[in-house]
């Protein structure tokens, strides 16, 4: 049988298994192994199945994943989120929709050190939802702001999504971290603008918060101290060349644990929960990575990515149309598949096309993360919306999905901006790492 046809059948079989509910790492391993047998032979497939798990689990570059996950878990159980929210609320609460803007800003800050969109949504939901209800915010706006704000953690570095993309695409993880800073800031501002517009149209949806003195605002800044120290030490050390991304993860995990101790949250229960959650998350990510590499080896021998790239480039359409079509594939599948598996599944297929079009792989990584963010808040499986529904049990799921609509528009606007001005993603990587600017 033609290897290309086997590749197509393999992709279809994988999608069927995923929609049947099979764990994505296992599904990719099974399809990749059987597909490799069909394209080559049994001994070669056994060789791949033997070497890939060992090489992946012992890879030094991938040690950055458990370290940053552990840092996020220590920060989560240290309850840093409540202090970040207090800072944002006292500085931004008096604006129209200020409490919602404060929530989005706090989500972005906490997500940067937590790294999990669902954990950020759950944590900030518990912290900020009661306050928003207290001041009369509508369920739609409050839940929508928290669910959308929770997704910011995978864009603002350090981000596990960027670590996975950098690993799969063989890009510098430090450069990927740098690439997310400007888009992340722009997205926070767009989210804030969305809330401002909603509350201007309907002032009852988000009344102004109470007024604080300058002294109270300045006093609140000490609550942001742990975040500022973590952010500066980790990213400053990585961008400044003082240590690698893996070493930065170790420094961040240690510093986060120290803050846990200083805040008197280092109980045996919290430490055990942090380590347990880190093990579970890391195991899940590594199973996905192993499956992705096995499936990727199968796709390579089937020549499907190369043929797809050749066929796509032969189409008589502008490159922008091709890029938008690729993004639509990510967006549609992102409604059913979580962000991290989606990255390792589709990037090996579409990255060659992007490179042939002359676009920067770094730019592509940022856009992919943005589109996977979109999948976290769009039906039918917008994971952050379901987490929010679990926190706000009395709020109908439809109300939450309706509440994220303005933030979906904000994400689409950012996508258009990045499409028109790709250098926004590559400017900082160019400064810190000499990466090529996007075309």
């Amino acid at each position: 049988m033609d290897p290309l046809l086997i590749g197509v059948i393999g992709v279809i079989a994988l999608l069927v298994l995923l929609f049947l509910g099979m764990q994505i790492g296992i599904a990719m391993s099974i399809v990749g192994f059987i597909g490799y047998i069909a394209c080559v032979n049994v001994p070669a497939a056994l060789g791949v199945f033997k070497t890939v798990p060992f090489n992946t689990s012992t890879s030094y570059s991938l040690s950055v994943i458990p370290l940053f996950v552990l840092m996020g878990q220590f920060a989560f159980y240290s309850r840093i989120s409540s202090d970040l929210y207090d800072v944002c609320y006292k500085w931004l609460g008096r604006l129209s929709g200020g409490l919602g803007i404060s929530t989005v800003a706090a989500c972005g800050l906490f997500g940067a050190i937590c790294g999990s969109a669902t954990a950020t949504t759950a944590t900030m939901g518990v912290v900020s939802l009661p306050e928003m209800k207290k001041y009369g915010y509508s369920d739609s706006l409050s839940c929508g702001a928290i669910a959308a704000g929770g997704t910011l953690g995978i864009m603002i570095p350090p981000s596990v999504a960027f670590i996975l993309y950098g690993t799969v695409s063989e890009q510098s993880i430090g450069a990927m971290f740098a690439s997310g800073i400007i888009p992340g800031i722009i997205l926070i501002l767009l989210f804030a603008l969305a809330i401002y517009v909603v509350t201007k149209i309907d002032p009852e949806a988000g009344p102004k918060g109470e007024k604080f003195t300058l002294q109270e605002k300045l006093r609140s800044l000490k609550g942001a101290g742990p975040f500022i120290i973590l952010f500066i030490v980790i990213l400053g050390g990585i961008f400044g060349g003082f240590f690698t991304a893996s070493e930065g993860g170790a420094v961040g995990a240690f510093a986060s644990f120290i803050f846990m101790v200083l805040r008197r949250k280092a109980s045996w229960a919290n430490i055990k929960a942090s380590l347990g959650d880190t093990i579970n998350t890391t195991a899940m990510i590594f199973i996905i990575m192993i499956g992705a590499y096995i499936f990727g080896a199968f796709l390579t021998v089937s020549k499907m990515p190369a043929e797809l790239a050749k066929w796509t480039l032969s189409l008589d359409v502008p490159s922008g149309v091709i890029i938008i079509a690729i993004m639509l594939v990510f967006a549609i599948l992102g409604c059913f598949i979580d962000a991290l598996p989606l990255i390792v599944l589709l990037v090996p297929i579409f990255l060659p096309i992007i490179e042939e079009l002359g676009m920067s792989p770094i730019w592509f990584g940022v856009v992919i993360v943005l589109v996977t963010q979109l999948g976290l808040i769009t039906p039918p499986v917008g994971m952050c919306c379901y987490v929010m529904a679990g926190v706000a049990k009395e709020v109908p799921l439809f109300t939450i999905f309706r509440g994220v609509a303005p933030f979906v528009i904000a994400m689409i606007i950012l996508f258009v901006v990045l499409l028109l001005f790709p250098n926004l993603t590559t400017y900082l990587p160019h400064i810190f790492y000499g990466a090529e600017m996007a075309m």
Side-chain angles (χ1 to χ4, degrees), residues 26-84:
I26 304 298
M28 287 191 292
S29 297
I30 293 173
V31 174
F33 179 67
I34 296 175
Y36 209 96
I37 292 175
C39 287
V40 188
N41 53 50
V42 173
L46 289 173
V48 171
F49 208 71
K50 177 180 68 175
T51 58
V52 167
F54 177 81
N55 291 338
T56 303
S57 58
T58 58
S59 171
Y60 172 76
S61 62
L62 290 180
S63 65
V64 67
I65 293 175
L67 291 172
F68 273 111
V69 172
L70 181 60
M71 181 192 75
Q73 291 300 326
F74 283 151
F76 175 78
Y77 286 100
S78 296
R79 305 295 187 266
I80 291 176
S81 56
S82 58
D83 285 344
L84 288 175

Side-chain angles (χ1 to χ4, degrees), residues 3 37 92 116 123 136 169 194 198 209 211 214-215 276 284-285 290 293 299 301-303 305 323 342 363 378 403:
I37 292 175
L92 302 172
S116 168
T123 304
S169 63
V198 169
K211 188 175 182 180
L214 179 60
Q215 186 178 10
M284 177 269 293
I285 293 174
I290 290 169
Y293 283 134
L299 289 181
V301 297
S302 75
K303 299 181 181 179
I323 292 171
L342 194 63
W363 170 85
T378 49

